[in-house]
Amino acid sequence: MNGKIFTLRELYENGENQLRDAGIEEAGLDAWYLLEHVTGIGRASYYGDPKRPVSVQKAKEYLKLIHERSRHIPLQHLTGEQEFMGFPFLVNHHVLIPRQDTETLVEEALRFAEPGMKVLDLCTGSGCILISLLKLCPGLEGEGLDISREAISVARRNAERLGVEATFQESDLLERAGKNYDMIVSNPPYIRTSAIRGLQEEVRLHDPWIALDGKEDGLHFYRRIIADSIPVLKPGGILLFEIGCDQGREVADLMYNSGYSGIQIKKDLAGLDRVVSGMYNKD
């Protein structure tokens, strides 16, 4: 930089151009988010005085992040945060970045949730599903399980940060689950192993592999969870999954064949199958 003093506009345009040249799809948006992250300046302040000078230190920090983003490191790994259901969640390379698609799972779970229910979140990752449910339906009792110790650490930090009481522990699916849950929610790994290489670089190289890989047909974890859920659900308990957009019928059939009833497939905002839910009645 050679001590050059950038204005806000010059710095933003520099960042946007670098990201566009690197093939980042939303170059302008990402350049803006990083500028806001480094400087703390909102859009109103920016447009009110776009020629405001930026300190050399802040400019260096911003251009370093732009360089990292140009290498297709996810924006959320650079800012350390992602909004989900209106709440700010801490994220890093140990957890799947919360996505808008998954909000459909939370919204569907809220249709069944009532204070006093005991909820289990499998493959909890950042804890965004369970913590959002606890925030939006006070009185729920929540537990999150994940095979990754590092993910559990992130989930605990998010629960503390967002002021909810939840139990998080390391577990291979339901291995360390309790009993008598009213609801089980899960966004398990569901991408076919062969399809992972075709994902965006940000996902393929930077999201944890164990949070993506659903084995050969993408249904491995649905089979395991459905089979193991039955002994730990209360009579009339609800099981809800996020699914890949082409897996609705297959997951619904797996649940039906295991004794679940009232099975529903819910579409997301794009009109794609996104959530499968059903009730298990031991009687």
Side-chain angles (χ1 to χ4, degrees):
M1 287 178 49
N2 298 321
K4 173 178 171 58
I5 301 298
F6 286 90
T7 66
L8 285 170
R9 177 182 289 164
E10 288 172 337
L11 198 59
Y12 169 69
E13 289 177 349
N14 186 302
E16 182 180 16
N17 290 334
Q18 285 192 51
L19 295 185
R20 185 171 289 109
D21 290 345
I24 302 300
E25 287 185 10
E26 297 185 325
L29 192 59
D30 286 6
W32 170 256
Y33 282 142
L34 290 175
L35 184 69
E36 193 174 43
H37 173 71
V38 170
T39 66
I41 292 174
R43 288 189 181 274
S45 296
Y46 173 84
Y47 287 115
D49 188 10
K51 295 183 179 180
R52 184 189 310 181
V54 180
S55 71
V56 172
Q57 179 182 353
K58 290 289 187 184
K60 284 183 178 179
E61 182 181 351
Y62 177 73
L63 292 174
K64 180 181 178 182
L65 290 176
I66 287 292
H67 174 70
E68 295 294 289
R69 183 70 187 102
S70 70
R71 295 172 50 222
H72 291 263
I73 294 175
L75 176 72
Q76 296 86 348
H77 289 179
L78 300 177
T79 63
E81 190 173 282
Q82 172 64 31
E83 183 177 296
F84 180 82
M85 295 298 296
F87 305 113
F89 285 89
L90 300 173
V91 296
N92 58 27
H93 65 281
H94 294 299
V95 299
L96 195 69
I97 296 169
R99 290 166 169 82
Q100 187 178 32
D101 291 343
T102 306
E103 293 188 351
T104 306
L105 175 60
V106 175
E107 291 162 356
E108 193 67 5
L110 286 169
R111 292 202 310 111
F112 300 100
E114 296 179 2
M117 280 187 170
K118 185 178 178 182
V119 180
L120 175 64
D121 178 20
L122 292 175
C123 310
T124 193
S126 67
C128 66
I129 295 170
L130 179 62
I131 292 169
S132 296
L133 287 171
L134 297 179
K135 293 287 286 185
L136 296 169
C137 185
L140 290 179
E141 179 183 347
E143 180 179 352
L145 303 179
D146 199 289
I147 197 170
S148 165
R149 181 177 304 174
E150 293 82 5
I152 291 298
S153 176
V154 174
R156 287 172 176 162
R157 290 173 61 199
N158 277 319
E160 181 178 1
R161 186 180 191 220
L162 291 169
V164 301
E165 292 187 9
T167 301
F168 292 99
Q169 63 176 331
E170 185 180 350
S171 176
D172 182 2
L173 296 182
L174 288 110
E175 181 181 54
R176 300 181 66 183
K179 300 286 185 180
N180 297 318
Y181 295 104
D182 297 282
M183 185 187 301
I184 298 175
V185 294
S186 183
N187 178 18
Y190 59 70
I191 299 173
R192 296 170 182 83
T193 304
S194 61
I196 293 177
R197 66 175 65 93
L199 298 176
Q200 283 186 317
E201 190 173 335
E202 284 86 345
V203 177
R204 185 179 74 251
L205 299 182
H206 298 286
D207 272 335
W209 184 278
I210 59 171
L212 300 173
D213 186 12
K215 309 302 180 184
E216 184 176 359
D217 64 356
L219 301 174
H220 173 80
F221 293 99
Y222 296 113
R223 294 188 184 95
R224 287 186 59 188
I225 292 169
I226 290 168
D228 294 345
S229 66
I230 292 170
V232 304
L233 274 173
K234 286 182 179 178
I238 305 295
L239 175 62
L240 301 102
F241 286 118
E242 177 173 336
I243 57 166
C245 62
D246 61 347
Q247 295 172 321
R249 190 69 267 156
E250 292 172 303
V251 174
D253 287 345
L254 288 172
M255 293 177 69
Y256 178 81
N257 291 335
S258 293
Y260 281 86
S261 62
I263 297 168
Q264 299 181 28
I265 301 174
K266 176 72 174 181
K267 295 185 183 297
D268 60 21
L269 291 175
L272 302 173
D273 289 351
R274 187 58 57 193
V275 173
V276 177
S277 64
M279 176 186 295
Y280 189 80
N281 195 330
K282 294 181 174 66
D283 297 334

